Amino acid sequence: MRTANVRTIVIWTLVALVGAAGWSVLALARGEDVSAAWMVAAALGSYAIGYRFYSKFIAYKVLKVDATRATPAERLNNGIDFHPTDRRVLLGHHFAAIAGAGPLVGPVLAAQMGYLPGTVWIIAGVIFAGAVQDMVVLFFSTRRDGRSLGQMAREEIGPFGGAAALIAAFAIMIILLGVLALVIVNALAASPWGTFSIAMTIPIALLMGFYLRVLRPGRVAEVSLIGVGLLLLALVAGRWVAESSWAGAFTLAPSTLVVWLVAYGFIASILPVWMLLAPRDYLSTFMKIGTIALLALGVVVALPTLKMDAVTDFASRGDGPVFAGSLFPFVFITIACGALSGFHSLISSGTTPKMIQKETQVRMIGYGSMLMESSVAIMALVAASIIDPGLYFAMNAPAGAIGTTVENASQVVTGWGYSISPAELAQAAKNVEEATLLSRTGGAPTLAVGVSEIFSKVTGGSLRAFWYHFAIMFEALFILTALDAGTRVGRFMLQDMLGNVYRPFKNISWKPGLVLTSAIVCALWGYFLWVGVHEPLGGINQLFPIFGISNQLLAAVALAVCTTLLVKSGRLKWAWITGIPLVWDATVTLTASFQKVFSSDPKVGFFKQRSVFQDAIDDGKVLPPAKSMDDMHTVVTNSTVDGVLTAVLALLIVVVIADALRVCVRHLRRPALSTLSEAPYVESKILAPAGLIPTREEKEEARDAAAPTGV
């Protein structure tokens, strides 16, 4: 048995002390300035301890990952969907695929409640719920030939609960993809810098894919240097293009962007995974992690002060202008991806299990990637909390609440207890070269202002506008990588569903099937996106209000499947690892669903909102956000659809959880009746490290394998 040496004990004691110091200051400081560096310290210290101890315990004690067992990527390698991928590239792909709009936007919106509730949930939630879900789903999917979450539910829970899971997962996936695409369109519309830079990542990724596959197989370090160099060139060139005569060619209307996004999603879904998807996601990870690391470094260097209250009055009153509802349950629903995300379970049971080289890598890729995403969420919360609270609320409150002039906005925001003058609002917009920052809702512009605030303290105020527009482009790149991987996963889910009816679809690399299902998935989210772009209250805008709830309901499905599999595979004593997060997530999300359907507050309850707007229509009145009587009818329709969908999705999740509980109880009573759909054991021929840096034993094993044999 290995024992810790003195150096190891000292290092981890220091890590624990740094984290504890950060938590102590955040929790106890009242009425005094608090540096954002304490938030970074609390997060990094907690992440390090969670990864080193808790994730290792789950991987080796609970799941018992087996380095000698061949993964689907090795056994079923076909160069299209199944392809053993270097752990470093796969880590980049997986992180890029899961890190969409959620960790950037959700924490920014949740800052309305203060910085402390969000910080607690982001850090504790990821360590004990989000990262656990991602790793456990990835492990069980890898053991089942890369089966999708819905298909695993069907095979392990049963046809009834499985059918509910399949339908819920696919419907939620389409909603999530449509919302992600809308955020991209809003970020890139009329932005030649962002459009050019992001477009250039596609040929760069193709070059990287062929370099690793054909020209220099296995040379990950070489292709990384080439890719990063070209990416930095594309970023710099993007600004040149924006200031040149070529700007018009890359200044695209929203409708044009929709067409390009749908076309890109389709192509990325059908091309071999090594050719475009994996290298592009790996490439974008350098920019994502690099920017977040620089933000953390900027916080440590500049030591900006947290200007938002630790806990605001809106947390208890529930009448916040950014989103309505009390701290419980809505701060957890709003933050979503930064702590626990159902969308991640689709990636963990989608592309990643078909590409992973060794079971032992599920810890680094599943748990580690989620910690990386949580760090993004923390930095987004920092960015929202260091700007003037008056500016924050002026940017995130709707125009119907604060008006369209800086004078009116100043008066309303001051009435909320956060004073800011009209001159200060005008100057804030001028600093980032924007005409106005009023009602720039959605979270992305607020994050960009916070990023520019941090970076400009290090590089000088003259670059504030540059950093603002860089952050806007960065967010679009961040989200696009989740869109292409999500489309491919949606294709897998649809193939699994159709495979239950027509067997050839079971072969996910069957070309007619992959083309047809890719087209259907792109057509579905593309339709909602197209309508949403052309009708401000229609299409995906109609479904946007249920984005957070649907994502968390999907997490309940994933945790229910994981808990069932832990019980059925003889790990009953460890079922609490996913069982406790399941109970918490189900409690939070079903409470939120109930309130969104039945609340008597029209700002919260969909059906109450429908009633208020219908009464106004009967009286011939127009209420904001509607601008005409047609808009009023649209709001009534949207409220009805959102209310019904929320109720239906919640009911489906209750069915899944109830059926999972039934299966667990039956297994405990009569284990002989239970079956597992786990693929049979095949010995692995691949040698690959479990983590980013090979251990001494792994290096020796690789050296022995490479040594010539014979006498």
Side-chain angles (χ1 to χ4, degrees):
M1 181 177 176
R2 292 180 60 186
T3 56
N5 58 39
V6 174
R7 188 182 70 171
T8 301
I9 293 173
V10 170
I11 289 174
W12 286 105
T13 300
L14 289 175
V15 170
L17 289 174
V18 168
W23 281 117
S24 299
V25 172
L26 292 177
L28 301 178
R30 292 293 182 273
E32 56 192 271
D33 290 343
V34 177
S35 171
W38 291 115
M39 192 184 294
V40 175
L44 294 182
S46 301
Y47 295 153
I49 291 173
Y51 183 79
R52 171 61 180 81
F53 298 102
Y54 194 49
S55 72
K56 188 174 183 179
F57 159 73
I58 296 173
Y60 292 97
K61 184 72 173 179
V62 179
L63 301 179
K64 296 182 179 178
V65 293
D66 187 353
T68 70
R69 189 186 188 106
T71 64
E74 182 178 357
R75 290 186 290 102
L76 306 175
N77 182 11
N78 61 11
I80 300 177
D81 295 310
F82 293 91
H83 176 66
T85 304
D86 185 282
R87 69 197 185 285
R88 293 161 291 186
V89 176
L90 187 57
L91 176 67
H93 159 72
H94 184 81
F95 168 70
I98 66 173
L104 293 172
V105 173
V108 171
L109 302 181
Q112 167 184 267
M113 302 294 191
Y115 65 78
L116 190 56
T119 302
V120 172
W121 172 234
I122 289 171
I123 298 174
V126 72
I127 291 172
F128 297 109
V132 173
Q133 171 207 258
D134 292 11
M135 177 170 67
V136 177
V137 169
L138 176 56
F139 171 78
F140 281 124
S141 180
T142 300
R143 282 281 176 98
R144 285 157 179 76
D145 291 341
R147 288 277 192 272
S148 69
L149 177 67
Q151 190 63 20
M152 284 197 293
R154 187 178 185 278
E155 292 174 353
E156 302 293 350
I157 295 178
F160 189 59
L166 279 167
I167 294 169
F170 187 71
I172 291 170
M173 183 61 146
I174 296 301
I175 294 172
L176 298 181
L177 290 174
V179 170
L180 290 175
L182 181 64
V183 176
I184 296 169
V185 169
N186 290 339
L188 292 185
S191 174
W193 181 10
T195 302
F196 174 83
S197 298
I198 288 174
M200 287 301 101
T201 63
I202 297 175
I204 295 172
L206 289 170
L207 171 63
M208 292 173 67
F210 279 99
Y211 193 95
L212 275 179
R213 177 82 173 187
V214 180
L215 301 178
R216 301 272 286 173
R219 305 288 184 171
V220 176
E222 288 180 17
V223 80
S224 299
L225 289 174
I226 294 171
V228 171
L230 291 174
L231 175 62
L232 293 175
L233 179 61
L235 293 175
V236 174
R239 196 181 192 197
W240 296 340
V241 168
E243 297 171 352
S244 73
S245 58
W246 290 6
F250 292 94
T251 305
L252 304 181
S255 56
T256 307
L257 282 168
V258 171
V259 174
W260 280 112
L261 282 178
V262 171
Y264 170 73
F266 176 76
I267 293 170
S269 179
I270 64 175
L271 284 180
V273 71
W274 60 264
M275 188 180 295
L276 176 60
L277 192 68
R280 189 186 177 284
D281 289 352
Y282 176 62
L283 176 67
S284 70
T285 297
F286 283 102
M287 182 178 172
K288 292 181 177 184
I289 293 300
T291 302
I292 296 303
L294 286 175
L295 266 176
L297 184 62
V299 168
V300 173
V301 172
L303 297 176
T305 300
L306 295 170
K307 297 179 181 177
M308 185 65 74
D309 297 332
V311 182
T312 68
D313 292 340
F314 296 124
S316 56
R317 296 207 310 261
D319 60 350
V322 180
F323 63 92
S326 56
L327 189 152
F328 179 88
F330 289 106
V331 75
F332 308 101
I333 299 298
T334 303
I335 287 175
C337 301
L340 172 65
S341 171
F343 176 75
H344 296 185
S345 68
L346 302 182
I347 303 298
S348 293
S349 61
T351 54
T352 307
K354 300 174 181 66
M355 301 163 66
I356 195 167
Q357 292 175 314
K358 307 292 286 184
E359 273 191 7
T360 48
Q361 294 171 355
V362 300
R363 178 187 175 212
M364 175 187 70
I365 293 170
Y367 200 98
S369 291
M370 184 54 194
L371 291 183
M372 290 160 61
E373 171 159 0
S374 185
S375 69
V376 174
I378 283 292
M379 294 314 303
L381 185 58
V382 167
S385 301
I386 64 167
I387 66 176
D388 188 290
L391 176 60
Y392 169 86
F393 285 106
M395 290 184 68
N396 289 282
I402 63 171
T404 56
T405 66
V406 291
E407 290 78 15
N408 200 58
S410 171
Q411 183 178 357
V412 173
V413 172
T414 300
W416 292 335
Y418 299 97
S419 61
I420 187 168
S421 69
E424 288 172 325
L425 287 173
Q427 186 61 45
K430 185 179 179 181
N431 288 341
V432 295
E433 297 178 8
E434 290 282 351
T436 181
L437 289 177
L438 299 183
S439 300
R440 297 294 298 273
T441 57
T446 305
L447 175 61
V449 169
V451 169
S452 68
E453 181 80 14
I454 294 170
F455 282 160
S456 64
K457 286 181 180 294
V458 178
T459 62
S462 61
L463 291 176
R464 190 185 296 268
F466 170 85
W467 290 122
Y468 173 84
H469 292 283
F470 170 84
I472 292 291
M473 186 270 298
F474 161 74
E475 292 173 75
L477 175 65
F478 214 104
I479 299 164
L480 186 59
T481 54
L483 182 69
D484 52 19
T487 299
R488 196 179 192 96
V489 172
R491 186 252 284 183
F492 292 153
M493 295 167 64
L494 186 55
Q495 285 175 288
D496 276 343
M497 293 171 65
L498 296 177
N500 295 317
V501 180
Y502 185 57
R503 238 185 134 65
F505 280 103
K506 286 283 187 186
N507 177 7
I508 60 169
S509 298
W510 179 51
K511 285 187 169 55
L514 70 86
V515 171
L516 176 62
T517 50
S518 295
I520 292 173
V521 170
C522 289
L524 286 172
W525 65 257
Y527 165 77
F528 286 113
L529 177 62
W530 179 267
V531 176
V533 164
H534 290 84
E535 298 180 22
L537 296 177
I540 197 59
N541 298 299
Q542 182 183 55
L543 303 177
F544 202 97
I546 63 174
F547 171 80
I549 284 180
S550 60
N551 189 30
Q552 298 305 85
L553 287 173
L554 188 55
V557 173
L559 291 167
V561 171
C562 290
T563 305
T564 304
L565 283 169
L566 286 173
V567 172
K568 289 177 65 178
S569 61
R571 300 173 172 92
L572 173 63
K573 67 178 180 179
W574 305 121
W576 59 268
I577 289 170
T578 53
I580 293 176
L582 169 61
V583 172
W584 169 257
D585 181 56
T587 301
V588 168
T589 314
L590 292 176
T591 300
S593 300
F594 183 86
Q595 291 186 19
K596 293 300 289 184
V597 174
F598 297 110
S599 174
S600 59
D601 183 351
K603 293 182 179 179
V604 177
F606 290 127
F607 290 145
K608 181 62 177 179
Q609 183 185 63
R610 179 196 183 283
S611 175
V612 168
F613 274 76
Q614 185 60 57
D615 290 344
I617 290 173
D618 295 340
D619 294 339
K621 298 178 181 177
V622 176
L623 305 177
K627 297 178 180 178
S628 66
M629 197 54 70
D630 285 342
D631 286 350
M632 292 288 290
H633 286 286
T634 301
V635 171
V636 169
T637 301
N638 290 355
S639 301
T640 306
V641 170
D642 288 340
V644 171
L645 267 178
T646 300
V648 169
L649 289 174
L651 181 61
L652 287 172
I653 271 58
V654 170
V655 168
V656 173
I657 295 174
D659 213 19
L661 181 61
R662 176 190 63 81
V663 170
C664 291
V665 172
R666 186 189 67 180
H667 174 80
L668 296 178
R669 289 177 176 175
R670 304 179 67 183
L673 295 178
S674 297
T675 58
L676 287 171
S677 59
E678 191 173 282
Y681 175 90
V682 174
E683 186 177 357
S684 175
K685 306 297 182 185
I686 293 177
L687 288 178
L692 274 179
I693 302 173
T695 63
R696 185 178 60 189
E697 293 82 0
E698 288 170 340
K699 290 178 180 178
E700 290 175 354
E701 186 180 19
R703 195 160 47 242
D704 292 343
T709 58
V711 294

